[in-house]
Amino acid sequence: MLTSDATVSMSWVNTLLLAAERQLSDDNPPSVLIQGETGTGKELVARALHFGGTRAGQPFVELNCGALPQQLIEAELFGYEKGAFTDARQRKIGLVEAANGGTLFLDEIGEADPATQVKLLKLLEDRSFRRLGGIREQQTNLRIIAATHQPLEQMVREGRFRADLYFRLRIIEVAVPPLRERGVDVLLLARHFLHWHAQRYRRDLPELDSELLAPMQRYHWPGNVRELRNAIEQALLLAPGPQIGLREFSFLAATGGPARPDADDDDLNLERSERRLVQRAMERSGNNITQAAKLLGISRDTLRYRLERLNLRSDDSA
């Protein structure tokens, strides 16, 4: 689940992509590259793009490129003919064929080996592939969405990822911000997961104690949304009563992380504090978004989201 400014941005991206897809003359929607830290919900973004688009009724097939040995990825993607290698006793279709008409989601694309990268580039360029051991090229009609937590641009400069594949994958690029940059989303997501887990375990829905809210906002959440979801599940199971507090989140009390600076310590309203911080960063940077984002410790895209959500003007400087 994505909420708050993340939901707004995803809705905006989906609206633009859906409008573009409906105007296509060749039924060949653009590929999408989703970048973000581990646990931020890149797969959910991919599913939102698929099920919110024109191919929603078609297959959504996924492969984690880092979950299989490199020598098996090619066979998994493209399939093979009988006798293509030892133990290939019968023909097997690959995920590319299974995703025909729909979406192929390649998670952790940065883990793909050079040989697989070459074949993926051909798939993107020609919409064709060949099974291992096969001699006939086959056409396919699918959309590729890729995701990674690795810095692909840096990997391209270092020669560890093909530049032509990188630019072909990132026709549309979506940056998923880490949880620590998403402000009040932490609390919104915490309540969502609490409700979800309470239903799963058939428990009465407890409340989050007010003493817990500020530490949850301060905590770094290195595991992002996935860590929050698991922490909420554990807290629900440990809570003896109708409230969840710091006792169930002992790691927050011990390592709550550095508090965010506030312009006015007496004003604890999160939205007003966030507005003051963003305004101060923009003023100090001379309305330079790149410099302001560095001062705030967030990405440029995240700062743009915040400026839009808070209805703050920007001259859109680099």
Side-chain angles (χ1 to χ4, degrees), residues 28-87:
N28 186 8
S31 55
V32 180
L33 177 62
I34 305 169
Q35 303 213 56
E37 295 179 8
T38 299
T40 51
K42 296 186 291 296
E43 181 186 340
L44 291 179
V45 173
R47 288 180 176 275
L49 292 173
H50 172 77
F51 291 104
T54 57
R55 300 187 174 215
Q58 301 301 317
F60 178 86
V61 179
E62 55 187 300
L63 172 69
N64 188 319
C65 298
L68 291 175
Q70 295 298 331
Q71 61 269 26
L72 295 182
I73 289 182
E74 191 174 341
E76 194 72 17
L77 277 173
F78 303 107
Y80 51 81
E81 298 287 351
K82 180 179 179 180
F85 51 83
T86 305
D87 294 332

Side-chain angles (χ1 to χ4, degrees), residues 29 31 37 200 208 214 240 247 262 264 294 299 306 314:
S31 55
E37 295 179 8
R200 287 182 60 230
L208 296 177
R247 180 172 58 180
D262 288 319
D264 183 359
K294 288 181 179 179
S299 67
R306 300 246 180 255
S314 164

Side-chain angles (χ1 to χ4, degrees), residues 243-287:
Q243 276 198 329
I244 291 178
L246 282 175
R247 180 172 58 180
E248 287 75 41
F249 282 87
S250 56
F251 67 95
L252 290 182
T255 60
R260 294 184 176 92
D262 288 319
D264 183 359
D265 290 339
D266 293 330
D267 186 359
L268 299 180
N269 181 276
L270 289 173
E271 186 166 344
R272 287 196 296 270
S273 297
E274 182 182 18
R275 177 182 291 273
R276 286 195 299 270
L277 286 171
V278 170
Q279 287 176 323
R280 179 180 293 182
M282 292 297 289
E283 289 171 1
R284 287 188 181 181
S285 65
N287 283 333

Side-chain angles (χ1 to χ4, degrees), residues 20-30 55 127 141 168:
E21 287 178 38
R22 287 174 173 165
Q23 294 178 358
L24 280 171
S25 61
D26 58 3
D27 192 28
N28 186 8
R55 300 187 174 215
R127 298 287 160 178
N141 173 19
R168 193 66 182 81

Side-chain angles (χ1 to χ4, degrees), residues 3-5 177-189 213 216-219 221 260 270-271 274 298 302 306 309:
T3 58
S4 187
D5 57 336
L179 186 57
R180 63 182 175 275
E181 294 181 6
R182 286 168 56 178
V184 295
D185 279 2
V186 175
L187 304 181
L188 295 172
L189 284 165
L213 305 185
M216 288 185 78
Q217 288 280 117
R218 291 195 300 265
Y219 184 60
W221 296 109
R260 294 184 176 92
L270 289 173
E271 186 166 344
E274 182 182 18
I298 60 178
T302 300
R306 300 246 180 255
R309 184 169 66 83

Side-chain angles (χ1 to χ4, degrees), residues 65-66 70 73 108-114 116-117 120 160-161 165:
C65 298
Q70 295 298 331
I73 289 182
E108 297 305 341
I109 188 65
E111 300 290 342
D113 69 318
T116 302
Q117 291 180 37
L120 286 175
R160 294 187 292 131
F161 197 87
L165 178 58

